[in-house]
Amino acid sequence: RFSQTNKSGNMMDECFHENDYHVSRRIYSNRVFDQVHERQAQEIQSLRERCTDKWAVQKIKGLLPILDWLPKYPVKQWLPGDVVSGVTTGLVCCLQGVAYALLASVAPVYGLYSAFFPILTYFVLGTSRHISVGPFPVTCLMVGSVVLTLAPDEHFLRPVNITGVNETVTDERLMEVDGEAREAQRILVACTMTVLVGLFQVAMGLMQVGFLVRYLSDPLVGGFTTAAAFHVFISQIKTIVSVPIHNHNGFFSFAYTLIDVSRNINQTNIADLIAGLLTIFIVMAVKEINTKFQHKIPVPIPIEVIVVLIASAVSHVMDLNSQYGASIVHSLPRGFAPPQIPNIALIGKILGSSFSTAVVGYAVAVSVAKVYAAKHDYTVDGNQELIAFGVSNIFGGCFSSFVASTALSRTAVQESTGGKSQVAGIISALMVMIVILALGPFLQPLQKSVLAGIVIANLKGMFMQISEVPVLWRQNKIDCLIWIATCLASIVLGLDVGLLAGLVFEMGTVVVRTQFPSCATLGNVPNTDIYKNMKDYKNIDEIPGIKIFKCNSPIYFANIDYFKEKLREENYFDHRPFMTPHPGLSHICCPSQNGLVPVASLGVENQAFEKEQVPELDEGASQPDSEVKVQVDWTSELPVSVSVPTVHIHSLVVDFSAVSFLDVVAAKSLKLVVKEFIRIGVSVYIAGCDGEMVRRMEALSFFDEEVTRDILFLSVHDAILFIQLETSTGNDEDPLAEKVKLTF
């Protein structure tokens, strides 16, 4: 056993400070460690052993979480808060559902359905106690873009019927939109897309791929939702000013919308404009009051409900639709629409948009759920959330609903008003049902500009994400670039293509960061087993004759060349292949202790490093056809100018503690590099490999007779102590290695 030593190989000082400690153990290579400490056998249970009654009950509760939490529901402690929260949230759900239907380009009544049906299934299948399930502006806008693409107004034009005194005449020159046919087709497109979104989410949940949402990083989601808020704002401008415009989707759609609004700005309806601007100002002001005095106000002021009630009453009393031409909701029929089957013929046209909407809806919902789960100390199952939202969307899509997720503001209301569980959610659904069955007609005089104002006022939180950009720039410039790139791409290219572009850019930054990883030469902190980057600290010693090299990244096909380049630079090697003899000198012999050895045997072509063209001899030069043993005067100048890099070290330690994996290409190249170092007299050791890395290296045939497992050590310090021990007790180095330097 060896005590911790300093760089000279001497025992450390026996005088320790109060916080110092002394370690005494044997030097461990991986092979020795495996011999001393027996590996634990991997127990593989059979299917019959795993399928116990307890396991079956856990699986059933996992698929139906309500069976787990409802029997434990503390009625006295939680029910009062859930009732208050459910009533308040239900009123907000009604208004947001009606308002967000404008974003989905369907009739307002379908927004009420979307605020009702998804809650029923999530109550049974969901694992979050606090999120409010229903329409979300971003997913509504993504649905709306598909609806407008597949069911534009131009597809439903018909000749205008002019009624005269005695007859009705059809004028082919005048066209009008068949509103009834258009609404039927649009809700069919929206419902089909919703069902397809649900199928995608259920499939991902069953395949346990909820982890894929982690690729949507916070900067990417922040940039995307900010861009979505911008698109929502642009889409609602036309409703605020109430001017006729064409529907635009795809690249630069926001610019075309603004151009149409500016061209028709002289047709602005003043009544709608005033109502919309007042709604935005009042709702935002009261929400600020709610936020500022949230600890003093027991229940947030339901300003959306108050504004809608007042606006509906004013519109009805003043007859704004007839007197001033204001655009109102018009029809909000009582009762539910009959279930309908999705149109299978549309699936091929909406496949890509449905998948991106499924990912975005889930990503937003699970992010919000995890925030409140962390706040209230419980866990959320990501895969079960996929299944819950998938089933909710399939169920809702069959009952004339569009895609459900969660709205940040609505969830905040449910949690802040005392909601403790999804009982609050089911009570909010009952409130929506009351509106659908009885109170819907009271909202028919409501101006659409008021709903648009509510939508815009609720975008403040998403727009405030812009304030994160300076902070991100200071913290991590690459994350900031991801935010900006995703936001700009989503604004310019549209939400679906923009999300894909942002994801590709994010993956590109990961590849670039791993392709050019940080590498460093480590030195020893005197009298410790600590090794740090020599460029970061002053009092760090480089151990004579030993180079310690560390790569802080996985090593794979994309960065293996960079790894080798940095290895050369850190060891001061020439960029040419090691020990590659000139063709004209392949038969010259050099002295050794046992006689003459051909120079060709000392140098082999280095396949691990990049090859360079070697200048050929003159055509007139004779090429020897057999090996001629001659004595070479190493003090004289050789016939051609070729050099071999001078090596100043006898050992190289490669720290693999930050290397998480190797691939086939990297293992092959690394093995060749190790062999080249061995052939020029440099011993190579690899430190810090965990068991998984060693097994991977074995699977990649990294070890052979020349590169054995004896080069593996548990830590850098183990490798250094071993090298110092070998050096101090004597090794089998060629004594000429220090004296002879080949220059041929």
Side-chain angles (χ1 to χ4, degrees):
R1 297 180 181 272
F2 298 97
S3 300
Q4 187 169 304
T5 60
N6 58 21
K7 64 176 183 176
S8 302
N10 300 322
M11 295 294 294
M12 280 191 178
D13 226 342
E14 294 297 334
C15 299
F16 292 97
H17 296 290
E18 181 181 355
N19 294 326
D20 291 347
Y21 67 92
H22 181 71
V23 176
S24 179
R25 65 171 176 83
R26 70 181 301 170
I27 299 172
Y28 278 125
S29 67
N30 282 53
R31 181 179 59 82
V32 173
F33 188 85
D34 289 344
Q35 292 174 352
V36 176
H37 302 278
E38 184 178 355
R39 285 181 177 273
Q40 184 173 354
Q42 299 291 329
E43 295 184 3
I44 301 177
Q45 290 183 327
S46 64
L47 182 61
R48 178 176 295 181
E49 290 175 333
R50 284 187 285 125
C51 294
T52 60
D53 293 342
K54 184 178 180 181
W55 178 86
V57 170
Q58 289 178 344
K59 285 296 180 183
I60 294 174
K61 288 184 177 180
L63 291 174
L64 299 172
I66 190 173
L67 299 178
D68 185 36
W69 65 265
L70 190 59
K72 306 174 185 176
Y73 183 78
V75 177
K76 293 183 179 180
Q77 290 84 2
W78 285 10
L79 187 58
D82 280 340
V83 171
V84 173
S85 175
V87 172
T88 307
T89 308
L91 296 175
V92 176
C93 283
C94 294
L95 302 179
Q96 288 191 352
V98 172
Y100 293 159
L102 301 179
L103 298 176
S105 301
V106 295
V109 68
Y110 299 112
L112 291 175
Y113 298 159
S114 302
F116 173 73
F117 286 107
I119 297 177
L120 303 181
T121 49
Y122 189 86
F123 176 74
V124 177
L125 300 172
T127 59
S128 173
R129 300 203 307 250
H130 293 89
I131 64 171
S132 176
V133 180
F136 178 57
V138 176
T139 54
C140 291
L141 190 65
M142 297 176 77
V143 172
S145 66
V146 175
V147 168
L148 293 178
T149 300
L150 298 181
D153 291 341
E154 291 78 7
H155 290 183
F156 304 96
L157 295 177
R158 65 182 180 184
V160 176
N161 293 326
I162 302 175
T163 304
V165 178
N166 297 320
E167 60 180 350
T168 300
V169 180
T170 300
D171 190 345
E172 298 289 345
R173 294 171 299 177
L174 299 177
M175 306 294 288
E176 67 177 359
V177 176
D178 185 352
E180 186 175 345
R182 181 189 63 183
E183 290 302 324
Q185 182 63 21
R186 286 185 172 181
I187 190 59
L188 182 61
V189 173
C191 292
T192 302
M193 182 175 176
T194 301
V195 171
L196 189 55
V197 166
L199 290 174
F200 275 126
Q201 290 175 333
V202 169
M204 289 190 291
L206 294 176
M207 291 188 295
Q208 302 286 300
V209 294
F211 66 89
L212 291 178
V213 77
R214 297 172 189 169
Y215 289 101
L216 301 180
S217 63
D218 288 346
L220 185 142
V221 173
F224 176 78
T225 52
T226 303
F230 177 80
H231 280 290
V232 171
F233 176 77
I234 295 298
S235 69
Q236 295 307 294
I237 289 179
K238 64 180 181 182
T239 308
I240 293 289
V241 298
S242 191
V243 296
I245 66 170
H246 294 92
N247 296 318
H248 301 286
N249 292 293
F251 297 174
F252 296 101
S253 59
F254 73 95
Y256 296 128
T257 301
L258 290 176
I259 291 172
D260 282 357
V261 170
S262 61
R263 285 176 179 171
N264 300 318
I265 196 69
N266 57 335
Q267 302 181 40
T268 299
N269 187 290
I270 301 301
D272 284 336
L273 178 63
I274 293 174
L277 294 178
L278 281 176
T279 300
I280 294 172
F281 175 77
I282 293 172
V283 171
M284 292 184 68
V286 175
K287 281 182 174 292
E288 282 296 316
I289 294 174
N290 285 339
T291 302
K292 189 173 182 179
F293 300 100
Q294 59 182 341
H295 299 295
K296 298 181 180 179
I297 302 177
V299 178
I301 301 173
I303 186 59
E304 290 100 337
V305 178
I306 296 173
V307 166
V308 166
L309 293 177
I310 294 175
S312 297
V314 170
S315 177
H316 177 71
V317 171
M318 298 184 65
D319 196 10
L320 296 179
N321 178 242
S322 301
Q323 298 296 327
Y324 300 96
S327 178
I328 63 175
V329 172
H330 278 298
S331 176
L332 209 65
R334 290 189 177 98
F336 294 98
Q340 60 179 341
I341 301 174
N343 188 348
I344 306 300
L346 296 173
I347 290 180
K349 301 176 182 178
I350 62 177
L351 203 62
S353 300
S354 298
F355 180 76
S356 59
T357 305
V359 173
V360 170
Y362 168 70
V364 172
V366 79
S367 299
V368 175
K370 287 184 177 180
V371 168
Y372 286 100
K375 182 178 179 180
H376 295 276
D377 193 25
Y378 66 93
T379 59
V380 171
D381 185 344
N383 291 309
Q384 181 61 26
E385 288 294 293
L386 269 173
I387 295 174
F389 277 102
V391 173
S392 297
N393 282 318
I394 294 172
F395 179 68
C398 293
F399 286 90
S400 302
S401 302
F402 46 83
V403 176
S405 180
T406 184
L408 309 181
S409 58
R410 196 168 61 243
T411 299
V413 169
Q414 180 166 315
E415 191 266 346
S416 62
T417 52
K420 301 294 185 182
S421 71
Q422 280 303 321
V423 171
I426 206 69
I427 293 174
S428 69
L430 293 176
M431 295 297 298
V432 177
M433 185 178 68
I434 292 172
V435 173
I436 293 173
L437 296 177
L439 304 180
F442 291 98
L443 299 178
Q444 291 180 357
L446 180 64
Q447 291 171 267
K448 289 184 178 179
S449 63
V450 173
L451 296 176
I454 292 174
V455 171
I456 292 175
N458 281 288
L459 295 177
K460 180 189 173 185
M462 286 191 280
F463 277 125
M464 290 302 293
Q465 294 177 119
I466 297 176
S467 62
E468 298 175 1
V469 176
V471 178
L472 273 177
W473 182 260
R474 291 191 299 269
Q475 293 176 343
N476 191 310
K477 291 180 174 56
I478 293 180
D479 285 343
C480 183
L481 291 177
I482 292 173
W483 195 103
I484 295 172
T486 305
C487 184
L488 293 179
S490 300
I491 289 175
V492 174
L493 305 178
L495 293 181
D496 48 357
V497 179
L499 177 63
L500 178 61
L503 188 60
V504 170
F505 182 83
E506 181 187 48
M507 293 295 101
T509 62
V510 174
V511 171
V512 169
R513 279 184 277 189
T514 58
Q515 188 172 357
F516 303 101
S518 61
C519 299
T521 298
L522 306 184
N524 177 246
V525 178
N527 298 327
T528 71
D529 61 348
I530 300 172
Y531 296 85
K532 291 291 185 180
N533 189 346
M534 295 185 64
K535 294 181 181 179
D536 294 340
Y537 299 92
K538 294 181 179 180
N539 300 322
I540 300 294
D541 295 333
E542 183 173 12
I543 303 174
I546 304 175
K547 183 74 68 174
I548 308 172
F549 182 77
K550 182 176 184 179
C551 177
N552 296 304
S553 167
I555 303 176
Y556 63 111
F557 67 93
N559 66 4
I560 183 61
D561 290 335
Y562 181 81
F563 173 84
K564 293 186 296 188
E565 185 70 22
K566 297 302 292 184
L567 190 59
R568 288 194 196 103
E569 293 177 2
E570 295 295 338
N571 289 280
Y572 313 109
F573 289 143
D574 195 313
H575 285 209
R576 284 170 291 187
F578 292 165
M579 300 296 290
T580 304
H582 193 282
L585 301 171
S586 60
H587 302 280
I588 297 178
C589 300
C590 68
S592 74
Q593 287 180 313
N594 299 323
L596 297 177
V597 179
V599 172
S601 67
L602 294 179
V604 295
E605 184 178 358
N606 183 5
Q607 300 175 8
F609 293 97
E610 300 170 1
K611 298 181 180 180
E612 293 187 3
Q613 295 295 330
V614 182
E616 296 182 359
L617 293 176
D618 297 337
E619 293 181 0
S622 60
Q623 299 292 333
D625 54 3
S626 61
E627 184 178 291
V628 180
K629 296 184 181 295
V630 296
Q631 185 74 34
V632 178
D633 183 4
W634 294 95
T635 61
S636 64
E637 187 174 337
L638 291 171
V640 290
S641 176
V642 186
S643 65
V644 170
T646 304
V647 182
H648 300 283
I649 61 174
H650 57 75
S651 300
L652 171 67
V653 178
V654 183
D655 185 358
F656 263 36
S657 58
V659 178
S660 57
F661 73 87
L662 287 173
D663 69 354
V664 175
V665 177
K668 181 179 178 181
S669 296
L670 185 62
K671 182 177 180 179
L672 291 172
V673 170
V674 172
K675 288 185 176 182
E676 289 303 326
F677 273 107
I678 293 174
R679 290 170 189 172
I680 62 172
V682 177
S683 300
V684 180
Y685 304 93
I686 299 177
C689 294
D690 60 10
E692 181 62 30
M693 175 61 70
V694 175
R695 286 189 289 273
R696 184 178 293 273
M697 294 169 76
E698 290 174 342
L700 294 171
S701 301
F702 183 80
F703 304 109
D704 57 19
E705 294 180 357
E706 189 173 2
V707 180
T708 66
R709 285 194 56 180
D710 291 336
I711 69 172
L712 300 180
F713 284 84
L714 290 186
S715 67
V716 172
H717 197 58
D718 282 295
I720 296 299
L721 292 178
F722 176 81
I723 295 169
Q724 291 176 338
L725 179 65
E726 290 290 298
T727 305
S728 63
T729 58
N731 52 35
D732 56 354
E733 279 187 347
D734 186 349
L736 293 178
E738 292 294 326
K739 300 178 182 178
V740 178
K741 294 196 178 160
L742 303 178
T743 55
F744 43 87

